[in-house]
Amino acid sequence: MSPQKTTDYLCRLLQELISSGLENEWIEFKENNVFHERIGEYISALGNSAAINYQEFGYLIWGVTDKLEICGTKFKPEVEKIGNEPLETWLKRLISPRISFKFYHCEYKNLPIVILE
């Protein structure tokens, strides 16, 4: 799939993932969790689980409660830094083996959502 995803696509994806009714091995929902090391662990675990379950991608989504209610998030990965290094660069440098991932932003009913694919 293209690295450029439209807001409509991301909102439909969000609805589809929520409609599954629960988190699973390759989908995780968070409100505002920004523990950098934990994000790296999720990337590895979700990527592995997606592959085992024959899914093209794993997803970590910020802005959704454990009860699968869309609440929006304050998490902005593009401004997160570890020391002087941007979060995404830091994650890509430290995750081994290398895993391709991307942060996407969208607004769903005027609530900010971040999707890590």
Side-chain angles (χ1 to χ4, degrees):
M1 286 194 184
S2 163
Q4 296 295 328
K5 309 245 177 178
T6 67
T7 297
D8 287 343
Y9 171 85
L10 293 169
C11 287
R12 284 193 311 275
L13 175 63
L14 177 64
Q15 290 172 323
E16 180 183 319
L17 296 174
I18 288 173
S19 72
S20 69
L22 58 122
E23 294 177 323
N24 60 39
E25 297 91 358
W26 53 277
I27 303 171
E28 183 75 25
F29 297 104
K30 298 290 176 201
E31 290 180 51
N32 292 304
N33 178 337
V34 292
F35 298 110
H36 304 130
E37 292 83 7
R38 191 77 177 120
I39 293 170
E41 292 169 5
Y42 274 119
I43 290 171
S44 294
L46 293 169
N48 289 334
S49 295
I52 291 168
N53 287 281
Y54 305 101
Q55 300 297 316
E56 188 172 4
F57 301 106
Y59 297 96
L60 179 54
I61 300 165
W62 286 268
V64 179
T65 69
D66 289 339
K67 294 180 182 180
L68 303 183
E69 297 168 349
I70 298 171
C71 60
T73 186
K74 295 176 183 174
F75 177 53
K76 295 180 181 178
E78 68 279 3
V79 300
E80 291 288 320
K81 291 188 183 254
I82 298 82
N84 288 326
E85 190 172 15
L87 173 63
E88 189 168 348
T89 304
W90 182 79
L91 290 167
K92 286 181 178 180
R93 182 172 55 80
L94 292 178
I95 293 174
S96 180
R98 296 213 186 276
I99 297 173
S100 179
F101 64 89
K102 176 102 175 106
F103 288 98
Y104 295 97
H105 298 270
C106 67
E107 282 201 11
Y108 185 87
K109 298 185 180 180
N110 295 319
L111 295 170
I113 303 294
V114 174
I115 299 174
L116 173 65
E117 180 179 77

